[in-house]
Amino acid sequence: MKEDVPRPVRIAVGLWLANAVFVVFTTAGLWFQRGEVQRLTNWTSGQVTSFLTTLSVVALVFVAAYVWLTRLFLKRKNWPRIVLSFIAVLHMIWILFLGVSASNLVTLLLICAAIVFTWQARTAQWLAEVREQ
């Protein structure tokens, strides 16, 4: 990142990317625990595979969106921060739909913290400086 990037923006970017990485590792971890998923749900192997595949596809869509929008946000475009927040709310709803777990709570905390730093006054000022030039 460039030196002129304010601390709240650097923190927001770090949180968005940390969230993306965490989602990838959490989703991959579920594949290693597929036997446990099958035991807890009493689903067939095919049902577990279908569930994990759907979960993985949705997770990768969120991850791709976070990475792409964070990159555009760093280029000092305002609209990605709006879309990032919208995607994050959708992600939170998806997480709540799946149920409460430790990893889901960590993801929710990362999202909430990222939104807070994305919408801080210093971040808005940093984005506005580009429009003034």
Side-chain angles (χ1 to χ4, degrees):
M1 280 187 249
K2 297 177 186 172
E3 291 179 24
D4 67 332
V5 177
R7 183 180 172 115
V9 174
R10 290 192 313 265
I11 292 171
V13 167
L15 287 167
W16 287 120
L17 296 178
N19 183 47
V21 169
F22 187 75
V23 168
V24 167
F25 282 115
T26 301
T27 305
L30 285 173
W31 283 95
F32 290 105
Q33 297 176 335
R34 65 177 283 123
E36 183 68 11
V37 171
Q38 187 170 1
R39 188 186 67 74
L40 289 171
T41 60
N42 288 326
W43 290 345
T44 65
S45 180
Q47 288 173 313
V48 171
T49 299
S50 178
F51 171 74
L52 291 177
T53 300
T54 301
L55 199 65
S56 298
V57 168
V58 171
L60 289 176
V61 167
F62 282 120
V63 166
Y66 288 138
V67 170
W68 178 64
L69 292 166
T70 300
R71 186 167 183 249
L72 292 174
F73 174 57
L74 261 179
K75 291 183 177 183
R76 294 177 93 160
K77 297 181 187 301
N78 190 47
W79 69 266
R81 113 179 142 142
I82 297 165
V83 179
L84 265 170
S85 300
F86 178 75
I87 295 291
V89 169
L90 290 178
H91 193 183
M92 287 191 274
I93 292 168
W94 171 255
I95 288 170
L96 294 173
F97 172 75
L98 292 176
V100 177
S101 70
S103 62
N104 284 350
L105 291 176
V106 170
T107 303
L108 288 171
L109 287 173
L110 284 169
I111 289 171
C112 289
I115 288 172
V116 166
F117 282 97
T118 299
W119 288 95
Q120 282 197 344
R122 182 61 189 109
T123 303
Q125 180 185 5
W126 177 73
L127 291 168
E129 288 171 1
V130 170
R131 289 190 298 263
E132 293 170 2
Q133 294 174 355

